[in-house]
Amino acid sequence: MTTTQLDTASLPPSPRWAIRAAHAAALVTLPSGIWRLMLAAGFTAGYTEAGYDAMGFTGWGAVYVVGLTVGGELLALLTLGLVRPWGEVLPRWIPFVGGRRPNPRAVTAVASLAAGALTLILTQFAFWWAFPHPDMTPFGSTVAGILYLPLVAWGPLLAAVTIAHHRRRRAAGL
């Protein structure tokens, strides 16, 4: 048995609440992502025709919106690595680092910084209705606000899972 296998075998299991929080963190990006994909597909999704045209959701704008959506979801899915075995020892198919155990301090530091940044950046969506978007219909603005509201929870959920990950690693002496 290798050192990496011994290290991960000695880890206590992730708390059930942390596993649920990690899954929730991966899911909170879906509603806004689906809305953005609708925009990229040509639906005005709450924008006025003039507002939709002005936002430039066609051509490269659509590529950007799809990339933003896919990238955001992939980043959200990384939260699962804090509670799953593939986050303890990286899968072998990952070039250069596959089969290795990531540095626990680096993982905790990056996840903590990401949680703080997400909280700062995404908290604004809690106040969506205080600043109506001039290029959206009132109904469209309400729907978009509802779809973006779950993003407010992403940062705090990641922070909670990061704390659980850190405590679990510390309890195992890693």
Side-chain angles (χ1 to χ4, degrees):
M1 202 180 283
T2 67
T3 305
T4 303
Q5 290 170 328
L6 285 172
D7 289 347
T8 57
S10 64
L11 280 175
S14 296
R16 181 171 279 158
W17 69 263
I19 294 170
R20 287 184 178 143
H23 282 88
L27 291 173
V28 295
T29 60
L30 283 177
S32 59
I34 292 168
W35 181 77
R36 284 192 304 271
L37 291 176
M38 289 176 55
L39 292 170
F43 296 99
T44 58
Y47 277 94
T48 62
E49 288 293 331
Y52 182 84
D53 292 339
M55 293 299 289
F57 291 120
T58 58
W60 285 109
V63 172
Y64 168 75
V65 168
V66 170
L68 178 67
T69 301
V70 171
E73 189 57 39
L74 288 174
L75 288 172
L77 286 170
L78 282 177
T79 307
L80 294 172
L82 297 171
V83 297
R84 293 288 180 218
W86 60 262
E88 303 296 341
V89 177
L90 299 173
R92 293 212 173 272
W93 57 265
I94 298 176
F96 308 112
V97 295
R100 295 185 184 172
R101 184 174 57 89
N103 181 324
R105 288 183 180 158
V107 169
T108 301
V110 170
S112 297
L113 289 171
L118 287 169
T119 301
L120 286 173
I121 293 167
L122 299 176
T123 298
Q124 67 180 326
F125 293 116
F127 306 103
W128 178 272
W129 296 276
F131 308 101
H133 198 292
D135 292 328
M136 297 187 84
T137 65
F139 179 72
S141 185
T142 300
V143 170
I146 291 168
L147 295 176
Y148 268 82
L149 193 57
L151 284 178
V152 175
W154 188 7
L157 286 168
L158 177 56
V161 175
T162 301
I163 291 168
H165 178 264
H166 174 72
R167 287 180 179 166
R168 196 165 59 96
R169 302 294 296 207
R170 191 177 60 199
L174 300 174

